[in-house]
Amino acid sequence: MKRLLALLATGASVVGLTALAGPPAQAATGCSVEYTVTSQWSGGFQAGVKVTNLGDPVSGWTLGFTMPDAGQKVVQGWNATWSQSGSAVTAGGVDWNRTLSTGASADLGFVGSFTGSNPAPTSFALNGVTCTGSVTDPPTDPPTDPPTDPPATGTPVAVNGQLHVCGVHLCNQYDRPVQLRGMSTHGIQWFGQCYGDEALDALADDWKSDLLRIAMYVQEDGYETDPEGFTGRVNALVDKAEARGMYAVIDFHTLTPGDPNYNLDRAKTFFASVAARNADKKNVIYEIANEPNGVSWAAIKDYAEQVIPVIRAADPDAVVIVGTRGWSSLGVSDGSNESEVVANPVNAANIMYAFHFYAASHKDAYRSTVSRAAAKLPLFVSEFGTVSATGGGAVDRASSTAWLDLLDRLKIGYANWTYSDADEGSAAFRPGTCDGTDYSGSGVLTESGALVKSRISTPDEFPTS
Ligand code: IDC
């Protein structure tokens, strides 16, 4: 039930052709715009704006449009520099979409607020030339437009391709939100034997995992002891994930000391190297600091704004996950909350914020933070455990289930700690499993492994149109 409305009845349905008929000395101009409200809630909404250049190639552009209602405001945008003056909104092209060849499009978007009604903007113009356009209806609740796509076939990476952040979600190559569900390694300095071919085959085929998070500790006998060796091990695991169609989250597993700036130089060296080496791959996501702790959000943000440009210089289009204060609790474990991030976000596009939880330790207060924050920040649960924050103790089935139901509802991706046979409650396999080659048989899973596998292995139903 997608209704398309012409935004502009006049203005020549094909503005580009009109302009093409102009004097030859003048550059041909024209554009079309699709404006889509992808979600809407009380007082807020998220919109996608796809602008297509119908004229001659441009090497810089500005898209202007008018908000029809005085209460409509752009709160935070992406894939462009956004500004608003009164009802006039301006979005300017950024490094990766500044050049638009004829027929090429840029996908932008923003989170907005409104007080009265929320009509679609009007008078879209690219470099001053009016665009034709269309607007799709805001979704209603319950959805009136259930997905009718046949189930996609192929591996997670084959179906979804290069990912990007769209509003508060992770989107696939069809610009549709996806939830990735998968597993984290334990420290690769200790549990390398758990990531051989048989183990990763089981993860992809049997667990149907969408991702492998590669936990590369920096201290505790990790990266700092052998930078080249660990960089090589991470790259080898990226390749193994790619060969099996899984995404690879490269986790710079800082933990103690908690200030990521302690490892700033190491992070720059490491990410410059892995980003250059893996730039052409579609399956790589970078996680720049596992769990900052005992450190302010300002210090974390400063670290992120130094490391992200190093990654972007080599691999401009990859998604980056930024750890948050209080062991990636969005500040909650330090007596704060998500508002410090909302008020002072990292100055970079295509990023998500990490949220970690351990189900037996982190319950309702943390869940309500995530429910609230998910409307404002792109979140990724790059690590969680079904047990206590020590990594051990009993599985808390009720809390784990409440968490995973919440993440499913919010379409927030996750990775479980750990795909290993460590002798602790969070490990998915029984001790000794990684000494053998059987990762699929009955009896290799722990209680945590069985619970998490039952959640991860259900069909993904990734949208493809
Ligand atoms: C734990 C491991 C444990 C190891 C310890 C110290 O499970 O075997 O001895 O680290 O390195 C985290 C961290 C993660 C922790 C995990 C459980 O990201 O490194 O792993 N945890 O304590 N944050 C919250 C919990």
Coordinates of all heavy atoms in Angstrom, one line a residue, residues 272-346:
A272 N 44.8 2.0 10.6 CA 45.3 2.4 9.3 C 45.6 1.1 8.5 O 45.3 1.0 7.3 CB 46.6 3.3 9.5
S273 N 46.2 0.2 9.2 CA 46.6 -1.1 8.5 C 45.4 -1.9 8.1 O 45.3 -2.3 6.9 CB 47.6 -1.8 9.4 OG 47.9 -3.1 8.9
V274 N 44.5 -2.2 9.0 CA 43.4 -3.1 8.7 C 42.4 -2.5 7.7 O 41.8 -3.1 6.9 CB 42.7 -3.7 9.9 CG1 43.6 -4.7 10.7 CG2 42.1 -2.6 10.8
A275 N 42.3 -1.1 7.8 CA 41.3 -0.5 6.9 C 41.9 -0.4 5.5 O 41.1 -0.6 4.6 CB 41.1 0.9 7.4
A276 N 43.2 -0.2 5.4 CA 43.8 -0.3 4.0 C 43.7 -1.7 3.4 O 43.3 -1.8 2.3 CB 45.2 0.2 4.1
R277 N 44.0 -2.6 4.2 CA 44.0 -4.0 3.7 C 42.6 -4.5 3.4 O 42.4 -5.3 2.5 CB 44.7 -4.9 4.8 CG 45.0 -6.3 4.4 CD 44.0 -7.3 4.7 NE 44.4 -8.6 4.5 CZ 43.6 -9.7 4.6 NH1 42.3 -9.5 4.9 NH2 44.0 -10.9 4.3
N278 N 41.6 -4.1 4.1 CA 40.2 -4.6 3.9 C 39.3 -3.6 3.2 O 38.0 -3.9 3.2 CB 39.7 -5.1 5.3 CG 40.5 -6.2 5.9 OD1 40.8 -7.2 5.2 ND2 41.1 -6.0 7.1
A279 N 39.8 -2.6 2.7 CA 38.9 -1.5 2.2 C 38.0 -2.0 1.1 O 36.8 -1.5 1.0 CB 39.8 -0.4 1.6
D280 N 38.3 -2.9 0.3 CA 37.5 -3.3 -0.8 C 36.5 -4.4 -0.4 O 35.6 -4.8 -1.2 CB 38.3 -3.9 -2.0 CG 39.1 -2.8 -2.6 OD1 38.8 -1.6 -2.4 OD2 40.2 -3.1 -3.2
K281 N 36.6 -4.9 0.8 CA 35.6 -5.9 1.3 C 34.3 -5.2 1.7 O 34.3 -4.1 2.2 CB 36.2 -6.7 2.4 CG 37.5 -7.5 2.1 CD 37.9 -8.3 3.2 CE 39.3 -9.0 3.0 NZ 39.3 -10.0 1.9
K282 N 33.2 -6.0 1.6 CA 31.9 -5.5 2.0 C 31.6 -6.0 3.4 O 30.5 -5.6 3.9 CB 30.9 -6.0 1.0 CG 31.0 -5.4 -0.4 CD 29.9 -5.8 -1.3 CE 30.0 -5.0 -2.6 NZ 29.4 -5.7 -3.7
N283 N 32.4 -6.8 4.0 CA 31.9 -7.5 5.2 C 32.5 -6.9 6.5 O 32.3 -7.5 7.5 CB 32.2 -9.0 5.1 CG 33.6 -9.4 5.3 OD1 34.5 -8.7 4.7 ND2 33.9 -10.4 6.1
V284 N 33.2 -5.8 6.4 CA 34.0 -5.4 7.5 C 33.3 -4.2 8.2 O 32.9 -3.2 7.6 CB 35.4 -5.0 7.2 CG1 36.2 -4.4 8.4 CG2 36.1 -6.2 6.6
I285 N 33.2 -4.3 9.6 CA 32.7 -3.2 10.4 C 33.8 -3.0 11.5 O 34.4 -4.0 12.0 CB 31.4 -3.7 11.2 CG1 30.3 -3.9 10.1 CG2 31.0 -2.7 12.2 CD1 29.0 -4.5 10.7
Y286 N 34.1 -1.8 11.8 CA 35.2 -1.5 12.7 C 34.6 -1.0 14.1 O 33.8 -0.1 14.1 CB 36.1 -0.3 12.1 CG 36.7 -0.7 10.8 CD1 36.2 -0.2 9.6 CD2 37.8 -1.5 10.7 CE1 36.7 -0.5 8.4 CE2 38.4 -1.8 9.5 CZ 37.8 -1.3 8.3 OH 38.4 -1.7 7.1
E287 N 35.1 -1.6 15.1 CA 34.7 -1.3 16.5 C 36.0 -0.7 17.2 O 36.9 -1.5 17.5 CB 34.2 -2.5 17.2 CG 33.7 -2.2 18.6 CD 33.0 -3.4 19.3 OE1 33.0 -4.5 18.8 OE2 32.6 -3.2 20.5
I288 N 36.0 0.6 17.4 CA 37.3 1.2 17.8 C 37.7 1.2 19.2 O 38.8 1.4 19.5 CB 37.3 2.7 17.3 CG1 36.2 3.5 17.9 CG2 37.2 2.7 15.7 CD1 36.3 5.0 17.5
A289 N 36.8 0.9 20.1 CA 37.1 0.8 21.6 C 36.1 0.0 22.2 O 34.9 0.4 22.4 CB 37.2 2.2 22.2
N290 N 36.5 -1.2 22.7 CA 35.5 -2.1 23.3 C 34.7 -1.5 24.4 O 33.5 -1.3 24.3 CB 36.2 -3.4 23.8 CG 35.4 -4.3 24.7 OD1 34.3 -4.6 24.3 ND2 35.9 -4.7 25.8
E291 N 35.3 -1.2 25.5 CA 34.6 -0.7 26.7 C 35.3 0.3 27.5 O 36.1 0.0 28.4 CB 34.3 -1.9 27.7 CG 33.3 -2.9 27.1 CD 32.8 -3.9 28.1 OE1 33.4 -4.0 29.2 OE2 31.8 -4.6 27.7
P292 N 35.2 1.6 27.0 CA 35.8 2.7 27.8 C 35.2 2.6 29.2 O 34.0 2.4 29.4 CB 35.3 3.9 27.1 CG 34.9 3.5 25.7 CD 34.4 2.1 25.9
N293 N 36.0 2.9 30.2 CA 35.5 2.9 31.6 C 36.4 3.8 32.4 O 37.6 4.0 32.1 CB 35.4 1.5 32.2 CG 36.7 0.8 32.3 OD1 37.5 0.9 33.2 ND2 37.0 0.0 31.2
G294 N 35.8 4.5 33.4 CA 36.5 5.4 34.3 C 37.0 6.6 33.5 O 38.0 7.2 33.8
V295 N 36.2 7.0 32.5 CA 36.7 8.1 31.6 C 35.4 8.8 31.1 O 34.3 8.2 31.0 CB 37.5 7.5 30.4 CG1 36.6 6.6 29.5 CG2 38.2 8.5 29.6
S296 N 35.6 10.1 30.8 CA 34.4 10.9 30.4 C 34.0 10.7 29.0 O 34.8 10.2 28.2 CB 34.7 12.4 30.6 OG 35.7 12.8 29.6
W297 N 32.8 11.0 28.7 CA 32.3 10.9 27.3 C 33.1 11.8 26.4 O 33.5 11.5 25.3 CB 30.8 11.2 27.2 CG 30.4 11.4 25.7 CD1 29.9 12.5 25.1 CD2 30.5 10.4 24.7 NE1 29.6 12.3 23.8 CE2 30.0 11.0 23.5 CE3 30.9 9.0 24.6 CZ2 30.0 10.3 22.3 CZ3 30.9 8.4 23.4 CH2 30.4 9.0 22.3
A298 N 33.5 13.0 26.9 CA 34.3 13.9 26.1 C 35.6 13.3 25.7 O 36.0 13.5 24.5 CB 34.5 15.2 26.9
A299 N 36.2 12.5 26.6 CA 37.5 11.9 26.2 C 37.3 10.8 25.2 O 38.1 10.6 24.3 CB 38.2 11.3 27.5
I300 N 36.2 10.1 25.3 CA 35.9 9.0 24.3 C 35.6 9.6 23.0 O 36.1 9.2 21.9 CB 34.7 8.2 24.8 CG1 34.9 7.6 26.2 CG2 34.4 7.1 23.8 CD1 33.7 7.0 26.8
K301 N 34.9 10.7 23.0 CA 34.5 11.4 21.7 C 35.8 11.9 21.0 O 36.0 11.8 19.8 CB 33.5 12.5 22.0 CG 33.2 13.4 20.9 CD 32.2 14.5 21.3 CE 32.4 15.8 20.7 NZ 31.8 16.0 19.3
D302 N 36.7 12.4 21.8 CA 37.9 13.0 21.3 C 38.7 11.8 20.6 O 39.3 12.0 19.5 CB 38.7 13.6 22.5 CG 39.9 14.4 21.9 OD1 39.7 15.1 21.0 OD2 41.0 14.1 22.5
Y303 N 38.8 10.7 21.3 CA 39.5 9.5 20.8 C 38.8 9.1 19.4 O 39.5 8.9 18.4 CB 39.4 8.4 21.8 CG 39.8 7.0 21.3 CD1 41.1 6.6 21.2 CD2 38.8 6.1 20.8 CE1 41.4 5.3 20.8 CE2 39.1 4.8 20.4 CZ 40.4 4.4 20.3 OH 40.8 3.2 19.9
A304 N 37.5 9.0 19.4 CA 36.8 8.6 18.2 C 37.1 9.6 17.1 O 37.3 9.1 15.9 CB 35.3 8.5 18.5
E305 N 37.1 10.8 17.4 CA 37.3 11.8 16.3 C 38.7 11.9 15.8 O 39.0 12.5 14.8 CB 36.8 13.2 16.8 CG 35.3 13.2 16.9 CD 34.6 14.5 17.5 OE1 35.4 15.4 17.8 OE2 33.4 14.5 17.5
Q306 N 39.6 11.2 16.5 CA 41.0 11.0 15.9 C 41.1 9.7 15.2 O 41.9 9.6 14.2 CB 42.0 11.1 17.1 CG 42.0 12.5 17.7 CD 43.2 12.7 18.6 OE1 44.3 12.6 18.1 NE2 42.9 12.9 19.9
V307 N 40.5 8.6 15.6 CA 40.6 7.3 15.0 C 39.8 7.2 13.8 O 40.2 6.6 12.8 CB 40.3 6.2 16.0 CG1 40.4 4.8 15.4 CG2 41.3 6.3 17.2
I308 N 38.5 7.7 13.8 CA 37.6 7.5 12.7 C 38.2 8.1 11.4 O 38.2 7.4 10.3 CB 36.2 8.1 13.0 CG1 35.6 7.2 14.0 CG2 35.4 8.1 11.7 CD1 34.3 7.8 14.6
P309 N 38.8 9.3 11.4 CA 39.4 9.8 10.1 C 40.5 8.9 9.6 O 40.7 8.8 8.3 CB 40.0 11.2 10.5 CG 39.2 11.6 11.7 CD 38.9 10.3 12.5
V310 N 41.2 8.2 10.4 CA 42.3 7.3 10.0 C 41.6 6.1 9.2 O 42.1 5.7 8.1 CB 43.1 6.8 11.2 CG1 44.0 5.6 10.8 CG2 43.8 7.9 11.9
I311 N 40.5 5.6 9.7 CA 39.8 4.6 9.0 C 39.2 5.1 7.7 O 39.4 4.5 6.7 CB 38.7 4.0 9.9 CG1 39.3 3.4 11.2 CG2 37.8 3.0 9.2 CD1 38.2 2.9 12.2
R312 N 38.6 6.2 7.8 CA 37.9 6.8 6.6 C 38.9 7.1 5.5 O 38.6 6.9 4.3 CB 37.2 8.1 6.9 CG 36.1 8.0 7.9 CD 34.8 7.4 7.2 NE 33.7 7.5 8.1 CZ 33.1 6.4 8.7 NH1 33.5 5.2 8.4 NH2 32.1 6.6 9.5
A313 N 40.1 7.5 5.8 CA 41.1 7.8 4.8 C 41.4 6.5 4.0 O 41.7 6.6 2.8 CB 42.4 8.3 5.5
A314 N 41.3 5.4 4.6 CA 41.6 4.1 3.9 C 40.4 3.4 3.4 O 40.4 2.9 2.3 CB 42.4 3.2 4.8
D315 N 39.3 3.5 4.1 CA 38.1 2.7 3.9 C 36.9 3.6 4.1 O 36.3 3.6 5.2 CB 38.1 1.5 4.8 CG 36.9 0.5 4.4 OD1 36.1 0.9 3.6 OD2 36.9 -0.6 5.0
P316 N 36.6 4.4 3.1 CA 35.6 5.5 3.4 C 34.2 5.1 3.7 O 33.4 5.8 4.3 CB 35.6 6.3 2.1 CG 36.7 5.8 1.2 CD 37.1 4.4 1.8
D317 N 33.8 3.9 3.3 CA 32.4 3.6 3.4 C 32.0 2.6 4.5 O 30.8 2.2 4.6 CB 31.8 3.1 2.0 CG 32.5 1.8 1.6 OD1 33.4 1.3 2.2 OD2 32.0 1.2 0.5
A318 N 32.9 2.2 5.3 CA 32.6 1.2 6.3 C 31.9 1.8 7.5 O 32.2 2.9 7.9 CB 33.9 0.4 6.7
V319 N 31.1 1.0 8.1 CA 30.4 1.4 9.4 C 31.4 1.3 10.5 O 32.2 0.4 10.6 CB 29.2 0.5 9.7 CG1 28.6 0.8 11.0 CG2 28.1 0.7 8.6
V320 N 31.4 2.3 11.4 CA 32.3 2.3 12.6 C 31.4 2.3 13.9 O 30.4 3.0 14.0 CB 33.2 3.5 12.6 CG1 34.0 3.6 13.9 CG2 34.2 3.5 11.4
I321 N 31.8 1.4 14.8 CA 31.1 1.4 16.1 C 31.9 2.1 17.2 O 33.1 1.7 17.3 CB 30.8 -0.1 16.5 CG1 29.9 -0.8 15.5 CG2 30.1 -0.1 17.9 CD1 29.7 -2.3 15.7
V322 N 31.3 3.0 17.9 CA 32.1 3.7 18.9 C 31.6 3.2 20.3 O 30.4 3.2 20.6 CB 31.8 5.2 18.8 CG1 32.5 6.0 19.9 CG2 32.2 5.7 17.4
G323 N 32.6 2.8 21.1 CA 32.3 2.4 22.5 C 31.7 3.6 23.3 O 32.0 4.7 23.0
T324 N 31.0 3.3 24.4 CA 30.4 4.4 25.2 C 30.9 4.3 26.6 O 31.5 3.3 27.0 CB 28.9 4.4 25.1 OG1 28.4 3.1 25.5 CG2 28.4 4.7 23.7
R325 N 30.6 5.3 27.4 CA 31.1 5.4 28.8 C 30.5 4.3 29.6 O 29.4 3.8 29.4 CB 30.6 6.8 29.3 CG 31.2 7.2 30.6 CD 30.8 8.6 30.9 NE 30.8 8.8 32.3 CZ 30.1 9.8 32.9 NH1 29.5 10.7 32.2 NH2 30.2 9.9 34.2
G326 N 31.2 4.0 30.7 CA 30.7 3.0 31.6 C 30.7 1.6 31.0 O 29.6 0.9 31.1
W327 N 31.8 1.1 30.5 CA 31.8 -0.2 29.9 C 30.8 -0.4 28.7 O 30.1 -1.4 28.6 CB 31.6 -1.4 30.9 CG 32.7 -1.4 31.9 CD1 33.9 -2.2 31.8 CD2 32.8 -0.8 33.2 NE1 34.7 -2.0 32.9 CE2 34.0 -1.2 33.8 CE3 31.9 0.1 33.9 CZ2 34.4 -0.7 35.0 CZ3 32.3 0.5 35.1 CH2 33.5 0.2 35.7
S328 N 30.7 0.6 27.9 CA 29.7 0.6 26.8 C 28.3 0.4 27.3 O 27.5 -0.3 26.7 CB 30.1 -0.4 25.7 OG 31.2 0.1 25.0
S329 N 28.0 1.2 28.3 CA 26.6 1.1 28.9 C 25.9 2.4 28.5 O 24.8 2.7 29.2 CB 26.6 0.9 30.4 OG 27.1 2.0 31.0
L330 N 26.3 3.2 27.6 CA 25.8 4.5 27.3 C 25.9 5.4 28.6 O 25.0 6.3 28.8 CB 24.3 4.4 26.8 CG 24.1 4.0 25.3 CD1 22.7 3.7 25.1 CD2 24.6 5.0 24.4
G331 N 26.8 5.0 29.4 CA 27.0 5.8 30.6 C 26.3 5.3 31.9 O 26.6 5.8 33.0
V332 N 25.3 4.4 31.7 CA 24.5 4.0 32.8 C 25.3 3.5 34.0 O 25.0 3.8 35.2 CB 23.4 3.0 32.4 CG1 22.5 2.7 33.6 CG2 22.6 3.6 31.2
S333 N 26.3 2.6 33.7 CA 27.0 2.0 34.8 C 27.9 3.0 35.5 O 28.6 2.7 36.5 CB 27.9 0.8 34.3 OG 27.1 -0.2 33.9
D334 N 28.0 4.2 35.0 CA 28.8 5.3 35.6 C 27.8 6.4 36.1 O 28.2 7.5 36.4 CB 29.7 6.0 34.6 CG 31.1 5.5 34.7 OD1 31.4 4.8 35.6 OD2 32.0 6.0 33.9
G335 N 26.5 6.1 36.3 CA 25.6 7.0 36.8 C 25.1 8.1 35.8 O 24.5 9.1 36.2
S336 N 25.4 7.8 34.6 CA 24.9 8.8 33.5 C 23.9 8.1 32.6 O 23.3 7.1 33.0 CB 26.2 9.3 32.8 OG 25.8 10.3 31.8
N337 N 23.7 8.7 31.4 CA 22.8 8.0 30.5 C 23.1 8.5 29.1 O 24.1 9.3 28.9 CB 21.3 8.1 30.9 CG 20.9 9.6 30.9 OD1 21.3 10.4 30.0 ND2 20.2 10.0 31.9
E338 N 22.2 8.1 28.1 CA 22.5 8.4 26.7 C 22.5 9.9 26.4 O 22.9 10.3 25.3 CB 21.5 7.7 25.8 CG 20.1 8.3 25.7 CD 19.2 8.1 26.9 OE1 19.6 7.5 27.9 OE2 18.1 8.6 26.8
S339 N 21.9 10.7 27.3 CA 21.7 12.2 26.9 C 23.0 12.9 26.7 O 23.1 13.8 25.8 CB 20.9 12.9 28.0 OG 21.6 12.8 29.2
E340 N 24.1 12.4 27.3 CA 25.4 13.1 27.1 C 25.9 12.8 25.6 O 26.5 13.7 25.0 CB 26.5 12.7 28.1 CG 26.8 11.2 28.1 CD 27.8 10.9 29.2 OE1 28.1 11.7 30.1 OE2 28.2 9.7 29.2
V341 N 25.5 11.7 25.1 CA 25.9 11.4 23.7 C 25.0 12.1 22.7 O 25.4 12.7 21.7 CB 25.8 9.9 23.5 CG1 26.3 9.5 22.0 CG2 26.7 9.1 24.5
V342 N 23.7 12.1 23.1 CA 22.7 12.8 22.2 C 23.1 14.3 22.1 O 23.0 14.9 21.0 CB 21.3 12.6 22.7 CG1 20.3 13.5 21.9 CG2 20.8 11.2 22.7
A343 N 23.5 14.9 23.3 CA 23.8 16.3 23.3 C 25.1 16.6 22.6 O 25.4 17.7 22.2 CB 23.8 16.8 24.7
N344 N 26.0 15.6 22.5 CA 27.4 15.8 22.1 C 27.8 14.7 21.2 O 28.8 14.0 21.6 CB 28.2 16.0 23.3 CG 29.6 16.7 23.0 OD1 29.8 17.2 21.9 ND2 30.5 16.5 24.0
P345 N 27.2 14.4 20.1 CA 27.5 13.2 19.3 C 28.9 13.3 18.7 O 29.4 14.4 18.5 CB 26.4 13.1 18.3 CG 25.9 14.5 18.2 CD 26.1 15.2 19.5
V346 N 29.4 12.1 18.3 CA 30.7 12.1 17.6 C 30.5 12.8 16.3 O 29.5 12.5 15.6 CB 31.2 10.6 17.4 CG1 32.4 10.6 16.5 CG2 31.5 10.0 18.8

